[in-house]
Amino acid sequence: MDKHIQEVREFKRTLVFTGALRAAHWLRAAAITVLLISGFYLAWPFLVAPENSDVLVQGWIRFGHLIAGFLLCAVTAVRTYLFFFSKYDVERRSVRDLFSLKSWIAQLKSYFWIGQLKKAGVYGPLQLLVYTGIAVASIFICITGLTLYAQVYHLGMGGMLSDFAAWITSVMGGLASVRLWHHYVAWVFIVFLVLHIYMAVWTGIRFKHNSVEVIVSGYDYHRH
């Protein structure tokens, strides 16, 4: 028992992600999952609706896609705000590593099992670069999604967005191009999800600290 207590005292608990960041992460993950599943079905509606037309299989799946889409738009806006203006600056501190050659070398070496990864913030430079790319992809897919939405729903929010949607459609070369690029960026999320889950698990094993658990509890543990 004494040995166990001593081992516990050797570790220090550190807050990594606040409740707002964790909530945003899981809401975005849920939204993206629903969007990918429903989006693939809308692109290729393989289910055959029963004879009762009141079931509206296609309509319910489209409804779920729209709700998840609006959720992703909201979470993307909140995450952008938190990154730039939150008093908790653990993410912003990572920007220093992005412009540090030493930090880049340290992260790449750590991926080849050479040395430990040392970060100024919560992300290494390669992580921050990838996450920034995903943030940009989220903004892009939200814009194209809202553009497609405004082409179908002409009242309420669709009507408010009509001028903006018309401009985006014109810039991108037509509605077919908007839809095509919306699908292309969806594949970016698919590839990212696979790599993200793999790297989160690998990092926890490689560096012997919380990686997956930290986005649930918010805390990481390090030896004193």
Side-chain angles (χ1 to χ4, degrees):
M1 181 63 70
D2 292 340
K3 181 179 179 181
H4 174 72
I5 294 175
Q6 183 178 0
E7 290 178 351
V8 171
R9 288 176 177 174
E10 289 180 356
F11 288 86
K12 178 183 179 181
R13 190 175 75 162
T14 304
L15 178 65
V16 178
F17 294 115
T18 62
L21 292 175
R22 300 199 305 276
H25 175 274
W26 290 112
L27 286 173
R28 181 164 58 179
I32 289 174
T33 301
V34 173
L35 285 168
L36 289 175
I37 294 172
S38 59
F40 270 107
Y41 178 79
L42 292 174
W44 181 48
F46 56 88
L47 295 177
V48 178
E51 294 180 0
N52 186 351
S53 60
D54 291 337
V55 175
L56 288 174
V57 174
Q58 181 82 354
W60 281 111
I61 293 177
R62 180 176 293 277
F63 176 73
H65 192 78
L66 292 177
I67 295 300
F70 284 125
L71 176 60
L72 180 63
C73 291
V75 173
T76 299
V78 171
R79 282 297 280 114
T80 303
Y81 174 84
L82 290 176
F83 181 85
F84 288 104
F85 302 108
S86 174
K87 293 181 180 179
Y88 187 64
D89 67 343
V90 68
E91 290 188 311
R92 291 195 298 273
R93 291 201 302 267
S94 301
V95 176
R96 285 182 288 175
D97 285 332
L98 189 62
F99 301 98
S100 170
L101 179 61
K102 184 178 179 180
S103 296
W104 275 96
I105 293 174
Q107 180 163 38
L108 293 175
K109 286 175 63 177
S110 70
Y111 286 165
F112 288 96
W113 299 81
I114 306 173
Q116 294 293 318
L117 176 61
K118 296 180 180 179
K119 301 175 287 186
V122 68
Y123 308 127
L126 183 58
Q127 286 176 288
L128 182 61
L129 188 64
V130 172
Y131 291 158
T132 301
I134 289 299
V136 173
S138 297
I139 294 171
F140 179 85
I141 209 164
C142 286
I143 290 174
T144 53
L146 290 172
T147 300
L148 294 171
Y149 172 84
Q151 301 296 331
V152 178
Y153 302 92
H154 304 294
L155 299 177
M157 183 176 290
M160 293 172 58
L161 294 171
S162 60
D163 291 339
F164 174 74
W167 179 75
I168 292 294
T169 303
S170 175
V171 168
M172 295 187 66
L175 196 60
S177 180
V178 174
R179 183 175 181 271
L180 190 61
W181 277 101
H182 192 72
H183 289 186
Y184 285 158
V185 177
W187 281 100
V188 173
F189 285 96
I190 293 173
V191 174
F192 169 75
L193 285 174
V194 174
L195 294 176
H196 177 61
I197 294 171
Y198 170 79
M199 289 303 298
V201 175
W202 181 86
T203 300
I205 297 172
R206 167 70 177 88
F207 299 110
K208 302 296 188 295
H209 64 80
N210 283 357
S211 183
V212 177
E213 300 92 331
V214 73
I215 200 60
V216 177
S217 67
Y219 290 93
D220 197 1
Y221 295 87
H222 299 278
R223 289 186 180 275
H224 285 289

